[in-house]
Amino acid sequence: QSEFRGTNALFLNLIGGSAAAFTVRIVRHRNQTHYAILAIAGAYFIAAVAIGLTLDLALVDIGRSALWGGLNALASVSIAMMLMPGAEQFAGVDTDSTLLEWSDLNRPLLRRLSLEAPGTYAHTIAIANLAESASNAVGANGLLARVGALYHDIGKLKKPQYFAENQAKGRNPHDKLKPTTSAAIIRNHVLEGLELADEHKLPRGVIPFIREHHGTGPISYFLEKARERDGVPANTAEFAYPGPSPQSIETAIVMLADGVEAAARVLNDPTAQKIREVVDRIVRQRLDQGQLSNAPITLAQLETIKEQFTRVLAGMYHSRIDYPAASGGINAEFGRSEAKAAGEPPNEPRTGDVPASAPAATPEQVKSR
């Protein structure tokens, strides 16, 4: 029939193919495939009616053409869903379906992180929330940012005890190491993360988050210790992360979220105003270090990102009401009174890659993880 020849066939395939391209990409769950089928079938129906009216075809012929389009929609979506995993690997493209699969917290790497490095795991979840919120607010890929944040610190699985968030009080293996050795351990969690990513076949789009979340920033704490001990180090590159600096807006957001979440933990009274000041300072530091120079991010977007960070962090650290101690409740004086009774100082928060025995740090001294 004429509707299946020449420009008519091209028109039908163009309409149906365009509908398929736009709808299949937003399918995040298998039970959503019927939306794609209906959308494609609807597109074929519209195209069949348009061609039928143009060629003055009978209603039966128009209906038959629309029916073939519906069957094509059903078959093509089913085949596409079956072939998509292999096609993604071949083309190096990560769809939302793949990213959702890797966001499952029961994935082996994330399960290991939760069990072997619980402090890093908690930090990871917090950063994922920050990064997704900020990315969505500026029109970036929030799902990609979330998944990248979940895996950005998996390299710490190699030596979790050398990172402060995983250390018990009073135990710090860095006390027995030279600053250069400590810096190498901290630095290598990026390289070891890349090794784990290759071993576990992480999606290609997630790899840059491991490589770029510190950029080429300095490992400040151990650099200062080396200067105090031996003067200016002969090779300052030993006290810097391997980089490169963030190349995308999503990896830039994760870098900022990493530093902001770490710095906010040192605040004794994390009010919204203080959190905003910390956020401003960390973002300014990264700008001054040139870490954002290769990322496609504007100053207007940075302001939106800072607003989102402040909102999310203020919600995370909001205060709660005191419950009466007489009835077994916990109030604001609980830690202080217990420590005072035992003759010990109250616990101080620790954060980032700074060792547990380090003195309390100001926000500008806290390195990103």
Side-chain angles (χ1 to χ4, degrees), residues 52-137:
L53 294 177
T54 301
L55 300 179
D56 197 22
L57 298 177
L59 290 178
V60 174
D61 294 330
I62 295 176
R64 186 184 299 112
S65 179
L67 178 61
W68 278 112
L71 294 175
N72 183 33
L74 178 62
S76 61
V77 171
S78 301
I79 294 172
M81 296 306 293
M82 289 188 294
L83 298 180
M84 190 176 294
E88 288 180 28
Q89 291 186 358
F90 177 77
V93 176
D94 302 323
T95 64
D96 286 353
S97 298
T98 296
L99 293 175
L100 281 169
E101 290 174 2
W102 283 93
S103 69
D104 183 0
L105 298 182
N106 288 311
R107 281 274 178 174
L109 272 177
L110 296 180
R111 288 290 296 166
R112 280 188 59 193
L113 197 66
S114 68
L115 297 173
E116 299 174 28
T120 299
Y121 179 77
H123 157 76
T124 291
I125 297 299
I127 290 179
N129 292 334
L130 287 168
E132 183 175 29
S133 175
S135 295
N136 288 334

Side-chain angles (χ1 to χ4, degrees), residues 11 49 98 100 103 170 176 178 180 195 204 208 217-218 252 281-282 290 330 348:
F11 179 74
V49 170
T98 296
L100 281 169
S103 69
K176 300 179 181 180
K178 295 180 180 178
T180 51
E195 292 174 2
R204 297 183 189 181
R281 181 167 294 184
I282 294 300
I330 303 297
E348 295 293 336

Side-chain angles (χ1 to χ4, degrees), residues 15-17 19-21 23-24 35-45 69 72-73 76-77:
I15 297 299
T23 55
V24 173
Y35 292 123
I37 294 173
L38 290 175
I40 296 170
Y44 273 120
F45 175 78
N72 183 33
S76 61
V77 171

Side-chain angles (χ1 to χ4, degrees), residues 259-268 270 275 278 282 313 317 351 363 366:
V260 163
E261 197 276 339
R265 287 177 180 266
V266 307
L267 296 176
N268 291 325
I275 289 173
V278 168
I282 294 300
L313 286 171
Y317 295 121
T351 184
V366 178

Side-chain angles (χ1 to χ4, degrees), residues 221-281:
Y221 180 80
F222 292 111
L223 177 58
E224 290 302 319
K225 286 193 69 174
R227 286 172 176 169
E228 293 172 3
R229 174 175 171 168
D230 304 315
V232 179
N235 184 11
T236 55
E238 294 179 342
F239 297 90
Y241 290 99
S245 59
Q247 307 292 304
S248 70
I249 188 170
E250 289 84 6
T251 55
I253 288 173
V254 169
M255 166 188 271
L256 296 174
D258 198 1
V260 163
E261 197 276 339
R265 287 177 180 266
V266 307
L267 296 176
N268 291 325
D269 182 23
T271 63
Q273 179 60 33
K274 289 184 178 180
I275 289 173
R276 179 56 192 243
E277 291 173 1
V278 168
V279 170
D280 287 337
R281 181 167 294 184

